[in-house]
Amino acid sequence: MQTNILSLQNILPLTCARIGACCHGNQVLLNPWELVCLAKEKKMTTREFRDLYCEFGGIRLHFNGKAGWGEKQACSQYVENFGCSVHLGRPLACRLYPLGRQIQNNEVNYMFQGDQLPCLEKCPEVINLPQMSVGEYLNGQITDQFELAQDQYLEIMQNIADIAFELLLDTGLAESGDKETLPLWRKMGNEPPEELAERIGQEWIDCLMIPEISDDDPITFTQKHNNLLQLKAQKEFGALQTNQELHEASVLIMGVALHFARGIGADPKSLVEHWIGIAKNHGAQE
């Protein structure tokens, strides 16, 4: 599918027609800070919101509402004849739509996929509405704090994976001739999200997705979350002695990293192959 890279100056038909097409049949992934924002808007705890409205431990919103546009099911937060019930707390994916966002070589790019802007297919009436630049659209959608949180969580995902590397490469496990760890890394990268969530267990899922942090600043929130995850790993893995324990710990924490990666929009299959390549370059075997 064609990817169209945009500049902030590009003028596009980005004024919403408000017919709810994008709230039906889509997939909205979530990071933990977005879960907090949604729960606050819903006036419930993060755990309550996660358990009621999310899948796979909190990394994706349920789309299990009444069928509407295109006979597709609505987002769990969509209210017929009203719209989004959590609009002020909506996640980055909703704020950006119909645009996508990616980071390559530390450069942020906005884009859309296909021959034409998705809105022109789903809501052709937008062609008659005022157009605006990509930069104006992003400012109007108030994406800045949500982009900050997303970028911080990309770093935290790598920090979690680094623990798996340390357990494999810095403890003598790889040097012992271990050939079981990398195949399990790969297996987890190809597992469905429900299987991977079950594998890593509820305790890690909760620490990953609903940390007990109360802070409205995304940078402070994510920094505190990173510290919590690092402390939990140190507590669980700091006194391991046998190669079997190290193997099991490396597999577990890599599973946490891959599950989290899916929730922030990364592809676990390609990511785990990249990480396996790095591990093999440093002496690990499979």
Side-chain angles (χ1 to χ4, degrees):
M1 182 179 292
Q2 178 181 346
T3 298
N4 301 274
I5 303 297
L6 304 168
S7 75
L8 295 178
Q9 291 72 43
N10 281 130
I11 305 296
L12 295 169
L14 291 167
T15 301
C16 184
R18 301 190 181 281
I19 67 170
C22 58
C23 300
H24 291 77
N26 274 325
Q27 176 176 274
V28 175
L29 300 170
L30 301 172
N31 65 48
W33 192 73
E34 291 172 324
L35 262 180
V36 169
C37 294
L38 287 165
K40 284 182 178 178
E41 192 63 25
K42 205 76 170 180
K43 295 181 172 53
M44 59 177 57
T45 69
T46 311
R47 181 182 294 274
E48 287 170 338
F49 185 92
R50 190 273 307 266
D51 292 348
L52 281 171
Y53 299 118
C54 299
E55 299 179 285
F56 317 131
I59 64 170
R60 194 168 83 183
L61 273 175
H62 273 303
F63 268 68
N64 57 358
K66 182 179 178 181
W69 183 88
E71 299 302 317
K72 297 177 181 179
Q73 284 189 286
C75 170
S76 58
Q77 303 309 302
Y78 182 78
V79 177
E80 191 175 13
N81 298 320
F82 174 78
C84 179
S85 64
V86 288
H87 186 72
L88 293 179
R90 66 197 184 283
L92 181 61
C94 300
R95 292 171 187 268
L96 289 177
Y97 191 88
L99 307 180
R101 178 180 185 268
Q102 66 179 12
I103 299 178
Q104 289 185 330
N105 301 320
N106 295 318
E107 181 179 352
V108 175
N109 291 312
Y110 300 95
M111 81 290 292
F112 67 87
Q113 292 187 323
D115 296 331
Q116 63 179 1
L117 195 69
C119 291
L120 293 175
E121 175 187 354
K122 295 182 176 182
C123 314
E125 50 267 59
V126 300
I127 199 67
N128 298 316
L129 298 175
Q131 299 195 10
M132 67 182 77
S133 71
V134 171
E136 290 170 335
Y137 180 69
L138 297 176
N139 287 335
Q141 294 295 311
I142 316 175
T143 64
D144 51 354
Q145 286 199 323
F146 289 83
E147 293 189 57
L148 281 173
Q150 182 76 351
D151 293 346
Q152 290 295 306
Y153 273 120
L154 282 169
E155 293 188 19
I156 290 174
M157 174 199 72
Q158 184 62 59
N159 293 343
I160 298 170
D162 285 344
I163 300 171
F165 280 101
E166 291 168 8
L167 289 163
L168 175 61
L169 301 174
D170 298 344
T171 60
L173 176 59
E175 292 178 358
S176 74
D178 168 75
K179 294 184 179 180
E180 297 180 357
T181 302
L182 293 187
L184 279 174
W185 283 14
R186 176 176 287 113
K187 180 179 179 181
M188 291 187 299
N190 289 271
E191 282 181 339
E194 62 272 18
E195 290 186 18
L196 187 52
E198 184 176 354
R199 177 191 289 272
I200 64 180
Q202 195 64 50
E203 186 176 326
W204 269 105
I205 286 285
D206 287 352
C207 187
L208 192 65
M209 296 306 301
I210 53 170
E212 295 183 2
I213 302 170
S214 56
D215 203 297
D216 291 332
D217 175 67
I219 298 297
T220 306
F221 183 94
T222 52
Q223 288 173 344
K224 289 180 178 179
H225 195 184
N226 181 61
N227 291 340
L228 281 177
L229 290 163
Q230 295 292 323
L231 286 171
K232 179 172 176 59
Q234 179 62 34
K235 181 180 178 180
E236 290 200 15
F237 308 142
L240 302 180
Q241 296 181 348
T242 70
N243 284 339
Q244 182 62 28
E245 289 174 330
L246 293 166
H247 158 74
E248 291 173 359
S250 181
V251 169
L252 171 60
I253 199 67
M254 179 54 75
V256 173
L258 290 167
H259 187 66
F260 195 54
R262 180 179 272 116
I264 56 177
D267 175 20
K269 292 182 181 180
S270 58
L271 193 56
V272 78
E273 292 301 329
H274 172 67
W275 283 338
I276 286 173
I278 293 174
K280 291 170 76 171
N281 287 338
H282 286 80
Q285 304 176 55
E286 63 174 329

PDB file of all heavy atoms in Angstrom, residues 135-162:
ATOM      1  N   GLY A 135      -0.048  20.910  10.123  1.00  0.00           N
ATOM      2  CA  GLY A 135       0.331  21.545  11.379  1.00  0.00           C
ATOM      3  C   GLY A 135      -0.856  22.144  12.111  1.00  0.00           C
ATOM      4  O   GLY A 135      -0.978  22.010  13.340  1.00  0.00           O
ATOM      5  N   GLU A 136      -1.752  22.795  11.384  1.00  0.00           N
ATOM      6  CA  GLU A 136      -2.949  23.355  11.995  1.00  0.00           C
ATOM      7  C   GLU A 136      -3.834  22.257  12.577  1.00  0.00           C
ATOM      8  O   GLU A 136      -4.406  22.412  13.668  1.00  0.00           O
ATOM      9  CB  GLU A 136      -3.743  24.161  10.959  1.00  0.00           C
ATOM     10  CG  GLU A 136      -3.078  25.458  10.534  1.00  0.00           C
ATOM     11  CD  GLU A 136      -3.765  26.105   9.350  1.00  0.00           C
ATOM     12  OE1 GLU A 136      -4.425  25.382   8.557  1.00  0.00           O
ATOM     13  OE2 GLU A 136      -3.646  27.332   9.215  1.00  0.00           O
ATOM     14  N   TYR A 137      -3.938  21.156  11.855  1.00  0.00           N
ATOM     15  CA  TYR A 137      -4.758  20.041  12.324  1.00  0.00           C
ATOM     16  C   TYR A 137      -4.207  19.472  13.631  1.00  0.00           C
ATOM     17  O   TYR A 137      -4.951  19.244  14.593  1.00  0.00           O
ATOM     18  CB  TYR A 137      -4.807  18.952  11.257  1.00  0.00           C
ATOM     19  CG  TYR A 137      -5.636  17.755  11.637  1.00  0.00           C
ATOM     20  CD1 TYR A 137      -7.015  17.845  11.752  1.00  0.00           C
ATOM     21  CD2 TYR A 137      -5.035  16.513  11.896  1.00  0.00           C
ATOM     22  CE1 TYR A 137      -7.788  16.744  12.112  1.00  0.00           C
ATOM     23  CE2 TYR A 137      -5.792  15.413  12.250  1.00  0.00           C
ATOM     24  CZ  TYR A 137      -7.165  15.531  12.357  1.00  0.00           C
ATOM     25  OH  TYR A 137      -7.923  14.442  12.725  1.00  0.00           O
ATOM     26  N   LEU A 138      -2.888  19.256  13.690  1.00  0.00           N
ATOM     27  CA  LEU A 138      -2.274  18.707  14.898  1.00  0.00           C
ATOM     28  C   LEU A 138      -2.460  19.644  16.082  1.00  0.00           C
ATOM     29  O   LEU A 138      -2.752  19.196  17.200  1.00  0.00           O
ATOM     30  CB  LEU A 138      -0.789  18.442  14.655  1.00  0.00           C
ATOM     31  CG  LEU A 138      -0.455  17.405  13.576  1.00  0.00           C
ATOM     32  CD1 LEU A 138       1.051  17.327  13.369  1.00  0.00           C
ATOM     33  CD2 LEU A 138      -1.009  16.034  13.942  1.00  0.00           C
ATOM     34  N   ASN A 139      -2.302  20.932  15.856  1.00  0.00           N
ATOM     35  CA  ASN A 139      -2.507  21.904  16.940  1.00  0.00           C
ATOM     36  C   ASN A 139      -3.946  21.867  17.441  1.00  0.00           C
ATOM     37  O   ASN A 139      -4.197  21.911  18.651  1.00  0.00           O
ATOM     38  CB  ASN A 139      -2.152  23.309  16.461  1.00  0.00           C
ATOM     39  CG  ASN A 139      -0.667  23.523  16.299  1.00  0.00           C
ATOM     40  OD1 ASN A 139       0.137  22.845  16.937  1.00  0.00           O
ATOM     41  ND2 ASN A 139      -0.281  24.454  15.446  1.00  0.00           N
ATOM     42  N   GLY A 140      -4.878  21.765  16.520  1.00  0.00           N
ATOM     43  CA  GLY A 140      -6.284  21.718  16.902  1.00  0.00           C
ATOM     44  C   GLY A 140      -6.652  20.456  17.661  1.00  0.00           C
ATOM     45  O   GLY A 140      -7.557  20.472  18.508  1.00  0.00           O
ATOM     46  N   GLN A 141      -5.959  19.379  17.361  1.00  0.00           N
ATOM     47  CA  GLN A 141      -6.226  18.101  18.030  1.00  0.00           C
ATOM     48  C   GLN A 141      -5.470  17.963  19.360  1.00  0.00           C
ATOM     49  O   GLN A 141      -5.650  16.974  20.075  1.00  0.00           O
ATOM     50  CB  GLN A 141      -5.847  16.939  17.107  1.00  0.00           C
ATOM     51  CG  GLN A 141      -6.711  16.823  15.862  1.00  0.00           C
ATOM     52  CD  GLN A 141      -8.144  16.490  16.200  1.00  0.00           C
ATOM     53  OE1 GLN A 141      -8.432  15.569  16.959  1.00  0.00           O
ATOM     54  NE2 GLN A 141      -9.075  17.256  15.642  1.00  0.00           N
ATOM     55  N   ILE A 142      -4.630  18.920  19.661  1.00  0.00           N
ATOM     56  CA  ILE A 142      -3.845  18.942  20.914  1.00  0.00           C
ATOM     57  C   ILE A 142      -3.093  17.618  21.077  1.00  0.00           C
ATOM     58  O   ILE A 142      -3.307  16.862  22.036  1.00  0.00           O
ATOM     59  CB  ILE A 142      -4.736  19.236  22.143  1.00  0.00           C
ATOM     60  CG1 ILE A 142      -5.713  20.373  21.846  1.00  0.00           C
ATOM     61  CG2 ILE A 142      -3.895  19.582  23.366  1.00  0.00           C
ATOM     62  CD1 ILE A 142      -6.707  20.653  22.960  1.00  0.00           C
ATOM     63  N   THR A 143      -2.214  17.351  20.136  1.00  0.00           N
ATOM     64  CA  THR A 143      -1.485  16.080  20.132  1.00  0.00           C
ATOM     65  C   THR A 143      -0.181  16.125  20.909  1.00  0.00           C
ATOM     66  O   THR A 143       0.405  15.069  21.181  1.00  0.00           O
ATOM     67  CB  THR A 143      -1.155  15.656  18.689  1.00  0.00           C
ATOM     68  OG1 THR A 143      -0.271  16.616  18.103  1.00  0.00           O
ATOM     69  CG2 THR A 143      -2.409  15.532  17.846  1.00  0.00           C
ATOM     70  N   ASP A 144       0.308  17.308  21.291  1.00  0.00           N
ATOM     71  CA  ASP A 144       1.689  17.416  21.763  1.00  0.00           C
ATOM     72  C   ASP A 144       1.996  16.540  22.975  1.00  0.00           C
ATOM     73  O   ASP A 144       2.986  15.784  22.970  1.00  0.00           O
ATOM     74  CB  ASP A 144       2.056  18.880  22.039  1.00  0.00           C
ATOM     75  CG  ASP A 144       1.040  19.602  22.922  1.00  0.00           C
ATOM     76  OD1 ASP A 144      -0.015  19.021  23.231  1.00  0.00           O
ATOM     77  OD2 ASP A 144       1.326  20.755  23.309  1.00  0.00           O
ATOM     78  N   GLN A 145       1.168  16.593  24.022  1.00  0.00           N
ATOM     79  CA  GLN A 145       1.445  15.788  25.205  1.00  0.00           C
ATOM     80  C   GLN A 145       1.317  14.298  24.916  1.00  0.00           C
ATOM     81  O   GLN A 145       2.062  13.487  25.475  1.00  0.00           O
ATOM     82  CB  GLN A 145       0.509  16.186  26.349  1.00  0.00           C
ATOM     83  CG  GLN A 145       0.865  17.527  26.988  1.00  0.00           C
ATOM     84  CD  GLN A 145       0.237  17.671  28.352  1.00  0.00           C
ATOM     85  OE1 GLN A 145      -0.892  17.239  28.589  1.00  0.00           O
ATOM     86  NE2 GLN A 145       0.970  18.267  29.274  1.00  0.00           N
ATOM     87  N   PHE A 146       0.399  13.937  24.052  1.00  0.00           N
ATOM     88  CA  PHE A 146       0.207  12.530  23.715  1.00  0.00           C
ATOM     89  C   PHE A 146       1.373  11.999  22.872  1.00  0.00           C
ATOM     90  O   PHE A 146       1.758  10.841  23.000  1.00  0.00           O
ATOM     91  CB  PHE A 146      -1.133  12.346  23.002  1.00  0.00           C
ATOM     92  CG  PHE A 146      -2.311  12.533  23.915  1.00  0.00           C
ATOM     93  CD1 PHE A 146      -2.802  13.803  24.203  1.00  0.00           C
ATOM     94  CD2 PHE A 146      -2.907  11.444  24.530  1.00  0.00           C
ATOM     95  CE1 PHE A 146      -3.865  13.985  25.065  1.00  0.00           C
ATOM     96  CE2 PHE A 146      -3.978  11.604  25.402  1.00  0.00           C
ATOM     97  CZ  PHE A 146      -4.455  12.882  25.677  1.00  0.00           C
ATOM     98  N   GLU A 147       1.929  12.860  22.034  1.00  0.00           N
ATOM     99  CA  GLU A 147       3.118  12.460  21.282  1.00  0.00           C
ATOM    100  C   GLU A 147       4.311  12.310  22.208  1.00  0.00           C
ATOM    101  O   GLU A 147       5.132  11.385  22.043  1.00  0.00           O
ATOM    102  CB  GLU A 147       3.399  13.476  20.186  1.00  0.00           C
ATOM    103  CG  GLU A 147       2.336  13.496  19.099  1.00  0.00           C
ATOM    104  CD  GLU A 147       2.730  14.343  17.898  1.00  0.00           C
ATOM    105  OE1 GLU A 147       3.787  14.061  17.306  1.00  0.00           O
ATOM    106  OE2 GLU A 147       1.988  15.280  17.558  1.00  0.00           O
ATOM    107  N   LEU A 148       4.444  13.196  23.191  1.00  0.00           N
ATOM    108  CA  LEU A 148       5.522  13.078  24.168  1.00  0.00           C
ATOM    109  C   LEU A 148       5.441  11.751  24.910  1.00  0.00           C
ATOM    110  O   LEU A 148       6.444  11.054  25.078  1.00  0.00           O
ATOM    111  CB  LEU A 148       5.454  14.233  25.168  1.00  0.00           C
ATOM    112  CG  LEU A 148       6.008  15.589  24.731  1.00  0.00           C
ATOM    113  CD1 LEU A 148       5.700  16.646  25.788  1.00  0.00           C
ATOM    114  CD2 LEU A 148       7.517  15.508  24.505  1.00  0.00           C
ATOM    115  N   ALA A 149       4.246  11.401  25.366  1.00  0.00           N
ATOM    116  CA  ALA A 149       4.066  10.145  26.098  1.00  0.00           C
ATOM    117  C   ALA A 149       4.411   8.958  25.213  1.00  0.00           C
ATOM    118  O   ALA A 149       5.096   8.016  25.645  1.00  0.00           O
ATOM    119  CB  ALA A 149       2.636  10.033  26.615  1.00  0.00           C
ATOM    120  N   GLN A 150       3.955   8.985  23.967  1.00  0.00           N
ATOM    121  CA  GLN A 150       4.228   7.876  23.054  1.00  0.00           C
ATOM    122  C   GLN A 150       5.727   7.709  22.831  1.00  0.00           C
ATOM    123  O   GLN A 150       6.250   6.585  22.846  1.00  0.00           O
ATOM    124  CB  GLN A 150       3.525   8.125  21.717  1.00  0.00           C
ATOM    125  CG  GLN A 150       3.692   7.015  20.691  1.00  0.00           C
ATOM    126  CD  GLN A 150       2.829   5.799  20.982  1.00  0.00           C
ATOM    127  OE1 GLN A 150       2.209   5.696  22.043  1.00  0.00           O
ATOM    128  NE2 GLN A 150       2.805   4.861  20.059  1.00  0.00           N
ATOM    129  N   ASP A 151       6.438   8.813  22.647  1.00  0.00           N
ATOM    130  CA  ASP A 151       7.875   8.728  22.412  1.00  0.00           C
ATOM    131  C   ASP A 151       8.614   8.221  23.645  1.00  0.00           C
ATOM    132  O   ASP A 151       9.577   7.455  23.535  1.00  0.00           O
ATOM    133  CB  ASP A 151       8.419  10.095  21.994  1.00  0.00           C
ATOM    134  CG  ASP A 151       7.900  10.541  20.639  1.00  0.00           C
ATOM    135  OD1 ASP A 151       7.333   9.696  19.915  1.00  0.00           O
ATOM    136  OD2 ASP A 151       8.035  11.733  20.303  1.00  0.00           O
ATOM    137  N   GLN A 152       8.161   8.645  24.826  1.00  0.00           N
ATOM    138  CA  GLN A 152       8.773   8.147  26.053  1.00  0.00           C
ATOM    139  C   GLN A 152       8.554   6.645  26.206  1.00  0.00           C
ATOM    140  O   GLN A 152       9.445   5.913  26.652  1.00  0.00           O
ATOM    141  CB  GLN A 152       8.193   8.889  27.264  1.00  0.00           C
ATOM    142  CG  GLN A 152       8.612  10.336  27.370  1.00  0.00           C
ATOM    143  CD  GLN A 152      10.102  10.494  27.603  1.00  0.00           C
ATOM    144  OE1 GLN A 152      10.662   9.924  28.539  1.00  0.00           O
ATOM    145  NE2 GLN A 152      10.758  11.255  26.750  1.00  0.00           N
ATOM    146  N   TYR A 153       7.374   6.186  25.819  1.00  0.00           N
ATOM    147  CA  TYR A 153       7.101   4.753  25.955  1.00  0.00           C
ATOM    148  C   TYR A 153       7.863   3.912  24.931  1.00  0.00           C
ATOM    149  O   TYR A 153       8.151   2.732  25.186  1.00  0.00           O
ATOM    150  CB  TYR A 153       5.594   4.490  25.901  1.00  0.00           C
ATOM    151  CG  TYR A 153       4.974   4.619  27.270  1.00  0.00           C
ATOM    152  CD1 TYR A 153       3.978   5.547  27.537  1.00  0.00           C
ATOM    153  CD2 TYR A 153       5.413   3.822  28.329  1.00  0.00           C
ATOM    154  CE1 TYR A 153       3.430   5.672  28.807  1.00  0.00           C
ATOM    155  CE2 TYR A 153       4.874   3.941  29.593  1.00  0.00           C
ATOM    156  CZ  TYR A 153       3.894   4.863  29.840  1.00  0.00           C
ATOM    157  OH  TYR A 153       3.375   4.981  31.096  1.00  0.00           O
ATOM    158  N   LEU A 154       8.221   4.486  23.813  1.00  0.00           N
ATOM    159  CA  LEU A 154       9.110   3.772  22.893  1.00  0.00           C
ATOM    160  C   LEU A 154      10.453   3.504  23.560  1.00  0.00           C
ATOM    161  O   LEU A 154      11.039   2.420  23.408  1.00  0.00           O
ATOM    162  CB  LEU A 154       9.298   4.583  21.611  1.00  0.00           C
ATOM    163  CG  LEU A 154       8.156   4.542  20.603  1.00  0.00           C
ATOM    164  CD1 LEU A 154       8.362   5.599  19.519  1.00  0.00           C
ATOM    165  CD2 LEU A 154       8.035   3.163  19.973  1.00  0.00           C
ATOM    166  N   GLU A 155      10.951   4.484  24.285  1.00  0.00           N
ATOM    167  CA  GLU A 155      12.219   4.300  25.007  1.00  0.00           C
ATOM    168  C   GLU A 155      12.064   3.283  26.133  1.00  0.00           C
ATOM    169  O   GLU A 155      12.963   2.459  26.365  1.00  0.00           O
ATOM    170  CB  GLU A 155      12.697   5.638  25.566  1.00  0.00           C
ATOM    171  CG  GLU A 155      13.105   6.641  24.498  1.00  0.00           C
ATOM    172  CD  GLU A 155      13.749   7.883  25.085  1.00  0.00           C
ATOM    173  OE1 GLU A 155      14.209   7.816  26.247  1.00  0.00           O
ATOM    174  OE2 GLU A 155      13.793   8.906  24.388  1.00  0.00           O
ATOM    175  N   ILE A 156      10.951   3.333  26.834  1.00  0.00           N
ATOM    176  CA  ILE A 156      10.729   2.381  27.928  1.00  0.00           C
ATOM    177  C   ILE A 156      10.633   0.958  27.387  1.00  0.00           C
ATOM    178  O   ILE A 156      11.140   0.009  28.005  1.00  0.00           O
ATOM    179  CB  ILE A 156       9.464   2.773  28.713  1.00  0.00           C
ATOM    180  CG1 ILE A 156       9.730   4.060  29.497  1.00  0.00           C
ATOM    181  CG2 ILE A 156       9.025   1.651  29.659  1.00  0.00           C
ATOM    182  CD1 ILE A 156       8.519   4.631  30.199  1.00  0.00           C
ATOM    183  N   MET A 157       9.992   0.791  26.235  1.00  0.00           N
ATOM    184  CA  MET A 157       9.946  -0.535  25.602  1.00  0.00           C
ATOM    185  C   MET A 157      11.356  -1.069  25.394  1.00  0.00           C
ATOM    186  O   MET A 157      11.652  -2.228  25.695  1.00  0.00           O
ATOM    187  CB  MET A 157       9.220  -0.444  24.262  1.00  0.00           C
ATOM    188  CG  MET A 157       9.232  -1.723  23.445  1.00  0.00           C
ATOM    189  SD  MET A 157       8.852  -1.432  21.691  1.00  0.00           S
ATOM    190  CE  MET A 157      10.368  -0.619  21.139  1.00  0.00           C
ATOM    191  N   GLN A 158      12.264  -0.227  24.890  1.00  0.00           N
ATOM    192  CA  GLN A 158      13.644  -0.659  24.674  1.00  0.00           C
ATOM    193  C   GLN A 158      14.345  -0.935  26.001  1.00  0.00           C
ATOM    194  O   GLN A 158      15.128  -1.885  26.118  1.00  0.00           O
ATOM    195  CB  GLN A 158      14.408   0.402  23.883  1.00  0.00           C
ATOM    196  CG  GLN A 158      15.832  -0.006  23.529  1.00  0.00           C
ATOM    197  CD  GLN A 158      15.890  -1.244  22.643  1.00  0.00           C
ATOM    198  OE1 GLN A 158      15.340  -1.256  21.550  1.00  0.00           O
ATOM    199  NE2 GLN A 158      16.547  -2.292  23.131  1.00  0.00           N
ATOM    200  N   ASN A 159      14.043  -0.134  27.024  1.00  0.00           N
ATOM    201  CA  ASN A 159      14.636  -0.379  28.338  1.00  0.00           C
ATOM    202  C   ASN A 159      14.244  -1.743  28.888  1.00  0.00           C
ATOM    203  O   ASN A 159      15.056  -2.439  29.517  1.00  0.00           O
ATOM    204  CB  ASN A 159      14.195   0.711  29.327  1.00  0.00           C
ATOM    205  CG  ASN A 159      14.753   2.074  28.990  1.00  0.00           C
ATOM    206  OD1 ASN A 159      15.706   2.200  28.232  1.00  0.00           O
ATOM    207  ND2 ASN A 159      14.155   3.116  29.565  1.00  0.00           N
ATOM    208  N   ILE A 160      12.991  -2.128  28.670  1.00  0.00           N
ATOM    209  CA  ILE A 160      12.527  -3.445  29.129  1.00  0.00           C
ATOM    210  C   ILE A 160      13.256  -4.543  28.374  1.00  0.00           C
ATOM    211  O   ILE A 160      13.728  -5.529  28.958  1.00  0.00           O
ATOM    212  CB  ILE A 160      11.003  -3.581  28.948  1.00  0.00           C
ATOM    213  CG1 ILE A 160      10.264  -2.540  29.786  1.00  0.00           C
ATOM    214  CG2 ILE A 160      10.536  -4.982  29.343  1.00  0.00           C
ATOM    215  CD1 ILE A 160       8.775  -2.438  29.480  1.00  0.00           C
ATOM    216  N   ALA A 161      13.361  -4.380  27.050  1.00  0.00           N
ATOM    217  CA  ALA A 161      14.076  -5.376  26.246  1.00  0.00           C
ATOM    218  C   ALA A 161      15.534  -5.472  26.666  1.00  0.00           C
ATOM    219  O   ALA A 161      16.124  -6.572  26.643  1.00  0.00           O
ATOM    220  CB  ALA A 161      13.962  -5.030  24.770  1.00  0.00           C
ATOM    221  N   ASP A 162      16.124  -4.350  27.054  1.00  0.00           N
ATOM    222  CA  ASP A 162      17.530  -4.364  27.468  1.00  0.00           C
ATOM    223  C   ASP A 162      17.752  -5.274  28.674  1.00  0.00           C
ATOM    224  O   ASP A 162      18.827  -5.880  28.814  1.00  0.00           O
ATOM    225  CB  ASP A 162      17.999  -2.950  27.801  1.00  0.00           C
ATOM    226  CG  ASP A 162      18.223  -2.095  26.563  1.00  0.00           C
ATOM    227  OD1 ASP A 162      18.305  -2.657  25.453  1.00  0.00           O
ATOM    228  OD2 ASP A 162      18.303  -0.856  26.708  1.00  0.00           O
TER     229      ASP A 162
END
